[in-house]
Amino acid sequence: MDGKTLRTLAVRIATALPEAEFGFPFGPEHEVAKVVGKVFFLATELRGEHLVTLKCEPEHSLALQEEFAGAVFPGYHMNKKHWISLRGTDQVAEDLVDELVRTSYTLVVDTLPRAARPGLSAQALKGLQIEDD
């Protein structure tokens, strides 16, 4: 999948998640999604290449970087241990993007106080259908 398709798909998935809000707090070139005020998704363009940056568990990040070398790398302008960036390559499939966006969202939601968490559990989130445009 090319970078533009990657970004469009990732935005569509993130937008459909409960209480996800999009904005441009770092300028017009950096699209950011937050849940209850906490960032879980960033999309930007770097030297003409579309990148999506997501929260990720450190062990999973290392495994992804090894398995998808060239497509997954430490988070651009983020904590390299807890964030990954994804670029469009032939290695990137729709199900991988879906998994990574939902995982990023869930990692952030899990850090919120219970009273502030959106109504869906991580288990219910897995079954949430994303509408095609």
Side-chain angles (χ1 to χ4, degrees):
M1 142 180 348
D2 67 40
K4 189 171 183 176
T5 303
L6 163 68
R7 183 175 182 161
T8 300
L9 174 63
V11 167
R12 183 168 47 85
I13 294 165
T15 302
L17 297 171
E19 297 186 40
E21 298 178 353
F22 273 78
F24 296 87
F26 308 122
E29 61 279 345
H30 301 285
E31 189 168 17
V32 175
K34 297 179 180 183
V35 58
V36 191
K38 302 286 184 181
V39 174
F40 72 93
F41 171 99
L42 296 99
T44 193
E45 196 173 324
L46 177 65
R47 294 184 286 278
E49 180 178 37
H50 291 276
L51 300 178
V52 172
T53 301
L54 304 159
K55 194 149 181 83
C56 190
E57 293 175 330
E59 303 81 24
H60 193 211
S61 170
L62 294 173
L64 288 166
Q65 290 176 57
E66 187 174 309
E67 183 177 352
F68 300 101
V72 178
F73 55 97
Y76 175 69
H77 274 303
M78 300 298 281
N79 180 308
K80 307 297 185 218
K81 183 176 180 181
H82 296 282
W83 291 84
I84 57 170
S85 288
L86 186 61
R87 67 170 47 103
T89 71
D90 292 342
Q91 296 175 293
V92 177
E94 189 170 326
D95 60 335
L96 176 64
V97 177
D98 186 75
E99 174 194 338
L100 294 177
V101 171
R102 289 173 190 252
T103 298
S104 180
Y105 174 89
T106 301
L107 287 170
V108 172
V109 167
D110 287 350
T111 67
L112 298 171
R114 284 195 187 272
R117 292 180 188 174
L120 290 179
S121 67
Q123 188 64 26
L125 183 62
K126 290 179 182 178
L128 181 68
Q129 296 296 311
I130 306 300
E131 298 293 322
D132 287 327
D133 288 338

